Amino acid sequence: MSVLRLGLCVLGVYSMFLLWAVAQERLSVPFQHIDGQSTDKFKSALFLGTCQSFLSSLSALAYILIRGKSGSSLSSLLGLDLASMVQTNNSSHSKTNGSSSTKVNGHSHSSSAHLHTYSSTSKALLLRYLQVSAFITLAAPFGFAALSYITYPTMVLGKSCKLVPVMLMNFIMYRRRFAPHKYIVVAMVTAGIGVFMGFGNEKPSKASSNGEQGSHSQLIGILYLFINLILDGAVNSTQDEMFARYKVTGQQMMFWINIFCTLLTTALGTLPLPHIPVLHPSSGLQSEFANAIGFIRTHPSAIIPLVQFSLTGALGQLFIFETLQHFGSLTLVMITLTRKMFTMVLSVVVYDHRLTLGQWAGAGIVFGGISVEAWVKRKEVHAKRVLQEKEKAKIKSL
C-alpha cells in the first residue's frame, strides 16, 4: 500500500507541476490579440495568484473534509481547536507538580486560564498564517516579472537554489545555525548559477541585442529573482517554525495560507491603486483585475494556460503535502529535485531554448550540490532509525 501511495504521489507531483511549469512559461510570452494584428503580454501576477490560491484553498478544504475524522467540529478539522491540547498540557503539568486547581464561586481558575491560552494561541497561529501569506503575495509578482528579463531555464535553476535564502532567513529571523556541509552546498549552488549565467547566449523577451543593455536586463531579472527567493526563504523558515510550535497538518496550513493569499490578492487587485512597479503594473488609478479581465476578453487564447496554471498548481500542492505527511521531507526533496530537472529539460524541448555546453555544466554543478544535501539527509535519517532500533531493543531487554 505504501509503495502504491508513493508511486501516486510521485506521479501526481511530476504530472501536475510539469504541466504547471509549461503553463507558467506560456503566460510569460505575448498572446495574439483578437483582431489578429497585434500581440500583448499578460502582466497581472495578482490575478494569477488569486486564481491559484482560491482553487488551492478549495482543494485543501475538500481534502480535509474527506479525510477528517467523522464527528469532528469544523474548527478542529481546520486546526483551530487547540483547547484540548492546551488542557492536556496544563493538566499533565498540574499532575506533575502534585497540585490541583482551586475554585472560586464555582469556577475554576485553570478553566479561565485554558480559555485565555486557547484564544491567544489561535490568534497567534492565524497571524502566522497571515504573515506567510503576505510573503507569498509579495514574492509571486517578482518571480513573474523576472521572466521578462531572464529565460525560463535560468528561472528554474534559480528556484532550485532555495537552500540559500532559506538558510539566510532562518539565521536572520530565528537565529538558527546549520551544519558545515550546508555551506559547501551553498558554494556549489552559487558557483553553478554563475557558470550557467556566464555561458548563456539566449536573450529573454526584454533583453536587447546591445550587449550592455542585455546585461543590464539580466541584472534586473536576477535582482527580481533574488527578491523572490528571499521572500520564499522567509516563507519556508516561518513554516518550519510553525510546524515546530503548533500541532497543525500540512493540509490545514495549505488551506489557511491560501485563504489569506486569496483575500490579500483580491484586495490588491480590486482597489484602484496607483502604478507600482512589479506589484501593481496597471497604469493610473485602475483596478488590476479589471485590466486582467479586459485582457482575457481581447486575448481568449490566454484562457487555457490560465486554467491550466491554476488547476495544476492547486492539485500539485495536495500531492506535495500528501508526500510530506506520509514519507517525510527527504523523499519530497528527491522528488522535487528530479522534477525541476525534468522541468528545465521540458522547457528546452517545448519552447526550443538553446543551452550551451557551459550552461549544462553549470546546471550539473547546481543539481550536484543539491544532491549532496539530499545524500547527507538520507544518512542522517538512517542514523536516527538505527538509534531508535537500538533504544527499542534495550527497552525490550528490560
Side-chain angles (χ1 to χ4, degrees):
M1 181 62 184
S2 60
V3 175
L4 177 60
R5 174 175 280 163
L6 178 60
L8 290 175
C9 288
V10 172
L11 180 62
V13 171
Y14 273 28
S15 59
M16 291 299 104
F17 280 104
L18 287 175
L19 291 172
W20 178 88
V22 171
Q24 184 186 40
E25 184 168 8
R26 177 64 188 93
L27 289 167
S28 69
V29 298
F31 289 93
Q32 185 76 30
H33 195 279
I34 197 171
D35 61 10
Q37 301 298 320
S38 61
T39 58
D40 302 287
K41 293 189 67 176
F42 185 79
K43 299 179 180 179
S44 181
L46 286 177
F47 186 81
L48 283 178
T50 304
C51 293
Q52 180 171 303
S53 61
F54 177 70
L55 287 179
S56 296
S57 60
L58 287 182
S59 60
L61 180 61
Y63 183 99
I64 290 170
L65 293 177
I66 293 172
R67 298 292 298 272
K69 295 180 180 179
S70 59
S72 300
S73 64
L74 184 61
S75 60
S76 177
L77 290 173
L78 297 180
L80 294 181
D81 189 7
L82 305 175
S84 59
M85 183 182 72
V86 172
Q87 289 172 353
T88 302
N89 291 340
N90 287 343
S91 61
S92 61
H93 177 72
S94 176
K95 289 178 180 178
T96 302
N97 293 331
S99 60
S100 59
S101 302
T102 59
K103 293 185 179 181
V104 178
N105 296 328
H107 296 283
S108 171
H109 282 301
S110 63
S111 297
S112 60
H114 293 163
L115 184 60
H116 175 72
T117 305
Y118 162 60
S119 177
S120 60
T121 303
S122 297
K123 288 180 181 179
L125 179 58
L126 290 175
L127 285 175
R128 285 295 192 189
Y129 284 139
L130 181 60
Q131 177 185 343
V132 173
S133 301
F135 287 148
I136 293 174
T137 302
L138 291 174
F142 283 98
F144 191 69
L147 286 173
S148 296
Y149 300 93
I150 57 178
T151 60
Y152 194 80
T154 306
M155 178 78 165
V156 172
L157 196 63
K159 295 288 281 185
S160 300
C161 309
K162 273 191 177 183
L163 181 64
V164 180
V166 168
M167 289 175 62
L168 180 63
M169 297 309 292
N170 263 296
F171 177 75
I172 293 175
M173 298 177 68
Y174 304 108
R175 292 293 184 266
R176 295 192 183 118
R177 297 188 180 276
F178 300 91
H181 79 273
K182 290 186 180 289
Y183 299 98
I184 298 175
V185 172
V186 168
M188 292 180 65
V189 165
T190 304
I193 286 289
V195 171
F196 188 90
M197 296 298 297
F199 284 92
N201 56 15
E202 185 179 3
K203 304 298 181 186
S205 59
K206 287 195 178 181
S208 170
S209 58
N210 181 286
E212 184 178 348
Q213 291 182 355
S215 299
H216 177 68
S217 295
Q218 283 207 339
L219 286 176
I220 294 175
I222 292 299
L223 175 62
Y224 286 167
L225 180 58
F226 178 74
I227 295 173
N228 173 267
L229 288 174
I230 287 294
L231 291 169
D232 276 351
V235 169
N236 291 133
S237 59
T238 305
Q239 285 176 323
D240 288 341
E241 195 265 345
M242 289 174 67
F243 274 123
R245 178 175 294 187
Y246 307 102
K247 293 185 178 180
V248 295
T249 66
Q251 289 76 24
Q252 290 167 346
M253 183 178 288
M254 175 182 169
F255 170 78
W256 284 108
I257 287 175
N258 281 288
I259 279 289
F260 281 123
C261 281
T262 302
L263 295 175
L264 289 173
T265 54
T266 301
L268 291 173
T270 304
L271 295 174
L273 300 175
H275 173 75
I276 304 173
V278 180
L279 297 177
H280 196 270
S282 299
S283 58
L285 295 174
Q286 296 182 350
S287 166
E288 185 171 336
F289 280 8
N291 289 344
I293 294 172
F295 182 93
I296 294 171
R297 287 176 178 172
T298 56
H299 303 77
S301 57
I303 294 176
I304 292 178
L306 275 171
V307 174
Q308 179 180 332
F309 176 86
S310 304
L311 188 59
T312 53
L315 295 176
Q317 285 189 47
L318 284 177
F319 286 108
I320 279 183
F321 283 112
E322 181 76 6
T323 304
L324 189 62
Q325 180 178 347
H326 293 284
F327 302 101
S329 59
L330 174 63
T331 303
L332 182 60
V333 166
M334 298 300 296
I335 294 173
T336 54
L337 169 61
T338 53
R339 192 270 300 174
K340 285 171 183 174
M341 293 176 64
F342 284 125
T343 296
M344 192 168 71
V345 172
L346 186 64
S347 174
V348 170
V349 173
V350 173
Y351 294 103
D352 198 28
H353 293 294
R354 304 291 182 184
L355 299 186
T356 64
L357 185 62
Q359 284 184 301
W360 283 114
I365 295 172
V366 171
F367 289 119
I370 302 173
S371 298
V372 170
E373 169 69 8
W375 177 72
V376 172
K377 279 188 176 181
R378 181 166 184 165
K379 286 187 65 178
E380 290 175 350
V381 170
H382 178 71
K384 287 181 180 178
R385 286 178 180 172
V386 171
L387 184 61
Q388 288 174 353
E389 291 296 329
K390 288 182 178 178
E391 290 178 352
K392 287 181 181 179
K394 287 181 180 179
I395 293 172
K396 288 181 178 179
S397 64
L398 295 175

